[in-house]
Amino acid sequence: MENPLRRGLVEDRTGDACAVVIFGASGDLTRRKLVPALYNLAVSRSLPNGFAVVGVARREKDHATFRAEMKEGVSKHSRRKPIDPAVWSDFESAIGYVRGSFDDPQTYVDLRAHLETTDAERGTKKNRLFYLAVPPSEFGVIVKNLRDAGLVEPGSHRPRGAEAWSRVVVEKPFGDDLASARALNDVFAGTFDESQVFRIDHYLGKETVQNLLVFRFANSLFEPIWHREHVDHVQITVAEDIGVEGRGKFYEQTGVTKDIVENHLMQLLCLTAMEPPISLSADAVRDEKVKVLRSLRPMERSLVQNNVVRGQYARGFVRGEEAPGYREEPDVSPSSRVETFLAMRVFVDNWRWSGVPFYVRAGKRLARRVTEIAIQFKKVPHTLFRAPDGGISPNVLAMRIQPDEGIALRFTTKEPGQHTILRDVAMDFRYGSAFGSNTPEAYERLLLDAMRGDATLFTRHDEVEEQWAYIDRVFEAWRAEANAPPPLYTAGSWGPEQSDDLLARDGRRWRKP
Ligand code: BG6
């Protein structure tokens, strides 16, 4: 019998006809994420009929070599395996390659010629989705050259299928601090209007993250208790068991604060704390997220000491295997002070959340990979039962973003028997058993949305600036204390003990996710 919950999983959304132009086509992201995502969109028949992918990079290679490399990437990283030969052969014919430096105008002359052929041969209708899978230092030069080569159509708010459009998708990190994020916003604003700029935070493309909005605003049960009267505190954890995975050079520049907290974690916080938007339009949703960011209590220097904990992993064991310390990783300074763990106590100073702490933490080389948002409700006002452990555990609603995606509600019950013995149990919803586990990857959703011009799951210019404004203050405080080395924690643990103290001071403790 067909599982009714699976209905709707078959995609019926397709993008507009377009060419996806990937700058940085030789990079890891293209092979691991972008092309496998496009291939999976092809499998679910979500790609438009008029479609092409064009890789742009410095290395000399022909179309055939590029296609072979992409095939290898898809074979390894696609969520659907093995590759379907019929789909691949069709998909592969849409892939092309243009060689050139990003600062050489000739590259754009060649790209233009290639795209004109593509329009004629593949019906891509002069629509271009430029994907900047390159470091931010390259954004400016690419955007300028695209404009000078006449490859950018103005504005994109046009009826679907009317005139040609150009859009640009920008990878994170979007800047390094508020000033550089503003400068990048200016780079894009000089050539594109905001509706054409799609700043990626791949967490927003995750099914479980999108479900936060549905869970909160399509159920009448939870919203009435989603505020300071009923919620004791909120915990958000983004824990990874992996280390920096050969990206030492990058990580030395970012640390966990700029890599995860400033973007992914703050987005989870926004979706948890935001007010209901007036509609699901991109701006309505983003307006509400920006309000949350503006309500965050600024991390004044005096607050950082009691509200922020850093850490750096030292040698230890993760999943039974010995793991090196951060400072022993390739391309990492042996005296690095970069933080690989951050925990913070954050306050959202508005009517709904006044006085409710949000404890957030993120880190590498923690005990296990888990991302979850846990809402802990207040204790019952009066205890009727004499429980042996002295009390009743408060209710907790845990939304597991990954892995083992699901939602669990913890509550107290009576154990069967003559005595009144209390026991915590959980009502547990699991995506895997309800819907099957092969859900679309974040990049599939995000690429398709960009092809359709839907920016709801992308960050707006003011959002990204507010995120940086908050994080900048934390860095200012660290600089003021001469950037003291972060406390160490053993790889495979849950971070430095100061992280536990942060909650213990308030009489609380981290959940064991
Ligand atoms: C990326 C970070 O944005 O997110 C990585 O740069 C991190 O350091 C990754 O590992 C985590 O993504 P996911 O989807 O595996 O949670």
Side-chain angles (χ1 to χ4, degrees), residues 136-137 139 173-188 258 464-465 468 472:
S137 53
F139 293 169
F174 196 84
D176 185 46
D177 56 10
L178 178 58
S180 56
R182 278 198 179 133
L184 285 179
N185 276 334
D186 289 345
V187 163
F188 290 101
K258 295 182 183 181
V464 94
E465 288 183 13
W468 278 120
D472 267 11

Side-chain angles (χ1 to χ4, degrees), residues 33 172 202-203 206 238 240 242 247 250-251 259-260 263-264 364 369 371 402:
K33 296 282 183 195
K172 74 176 257 280
H202 80 279
Y203 264 56
K206 289 181 190 279
V238 181
E240 294 186 276
I242 55 172
R247 294 197 305 160
F250 164 81
Y251 214 78
D259 187 37
I260 300 279
N263 35 67
H264 307 326
K364 295 256 186 218
R369 174 174 184 249
T371 298
Q402 64 185 23

Side-chain angles (χ1 to χ4, degrees), residues 107-404:
T107 307
Y108 301 81
V109 173
D110 297 346
L111 176 61
R112 200 190 159 107
H114 181 92
L115 288 172
E116 280 166 6
T117 314
T118 305
D119 289 334
E121 290 178 358
R122 306 202 58 90
T124 41
K125 298 194 176 160
K126 292 194 177 163
N127 291 333
R128 325 279 186 228
L129 186 69
F130 300 113
Y131 200 113
L132 306 190
V134 296
S137 53
E138 314 255 29
F139 293 169
V141 71
I142 295 176
V143 168
K144 175 184 177 302
N145 277 299
L146 284 173
R147 184 186 54 215
D148 293 352
L151 278 163
V152 178
E153 300 286 337
S156 75
H157 269 319
R158 305 164 178 223
R160 276 187 83 187
E163 288 172 69
W165 53 253
S166 309
R167 299 178 190 135
V168 61
V169 184
V170 193
E171 263 301 325
K172 74 176 257 280
F174 196 84
D176 185 46
D177 56 10
L178 178 58
S180 56
R182 278 198 179 133
L184 285 179
N185 276 334
D186 289 345
V187 163
F188 290 101
T191 299
F192 296 93
D193 69 40
E194 179 61 25
S195 64
Q196 294 173 284
V197 184
F198 292 72
R199 294 172 196 77
I200 284 231
D201 182 318
H202 80 279
Y203 264 56
L204 293 179
K206 289 181 190 279
E207 283 290 337
T208 41
V209 174
Q210 293 166 46
N211 191 45
L212 283 171
L213 285 181
V214 178
F215 182 77
R216 285 193 55 196
F217 304 128
N219 294 294
S220 59
L221 196 55
F222 300 104
E223 207 45 32
I225 53 171
W226 207 263
H227 58 75
R228 66 178 193 290
E229 300 291 342
H230 295 281
V231 176
D232 178 74
H233 72 278
V234 177
Q235 296 187 13
I236 305 181
T237 298
V238 181
E240 294 186 276
D241 52 8
I242 55 172
V244 292
E245 305 280 287
R247 294 197 305 160
K249 213 162 147 199
F250 164 81
Y251 214 78
E252 283 283 273
Q253 304 299 318
T254 57
V256 73
T257 315
K258 295 182 183 181
D259 187 37
I260 300 279
V261 178
E262 178 272 335
N263 35 67
H264 307 326
L265 202 148
M266 291 195 93
Q267 285 292 326
L268 296 180
L269 173 71
C270 285
L271 291 168
T272 308
M274 70 191 257
E275 294 300 319
I278 55 165
S279 75
L280 283 182
S281 76
D283 277 334
V285 173
R286 298 188 297 181
D287 285 346
E288 295 307 331
K289 287 196 288 168
V290 168
K291 284 189 211 160
V292 174
L293 293 166
R294 290 202 183 126
S295 318
L296 296 181
R297 186 176 304 169
M299 263 307 169
E300 301 298 349
R301 205 176 285 175
S302 57
L303 292 181
V304 168
Q305 209 179 3
N306 281 332
N307 292 277
V308 183
V309 170
R310 285 181 295 165
Q312 188 189 73
Y313 62 83
R315 184 177 279 273
F317 283 84
V318 180
R319 281 177 282 118
E321 282 190 20
E322 189 162 22
Y326 175 68
R327 293 177 188 175
E328 299 164 286
E329 299 275 12
D331 300 322
V332 169
S333 154
S335 55
S336 174
R337 294 177 173 206
V338 165
E339 74 293 348
T340 60
F341 175 92
L342 188 85
M344 291 199 285
R345 187 175 69 149
V346 176
F347 285 96
V348 183
D349 284 338
N350 62 14
W351 193 278
R352 185 189 282 257
W353 294 114
S354 176
V356 178
F358 284 67
Y359 301 99
V360 303
R361 60 179 168 171
K364 295 256 186 218
R365 285 286 189 225
L366 296 179
R368 64 188 196 90
R369 174 174 184 249
V370 60
T371 298
E372 78 155 32
I373 300 167
I375 314 287
Q376 180 157 326
F377 293 95
K378 293 200 163 159
K379 286 193 184 132
V380 291
H382 172 66
T383 313
L384 292 174
F385 309 97
R386 255 182 288 132
D389 61 358
I392 302 173
S393 316
N395 297 124
V396 175
L397 179 74
M399 293 175 281
R400 288 187 307 270
I401 304 297
Q402 64 185 23
D404 196 14

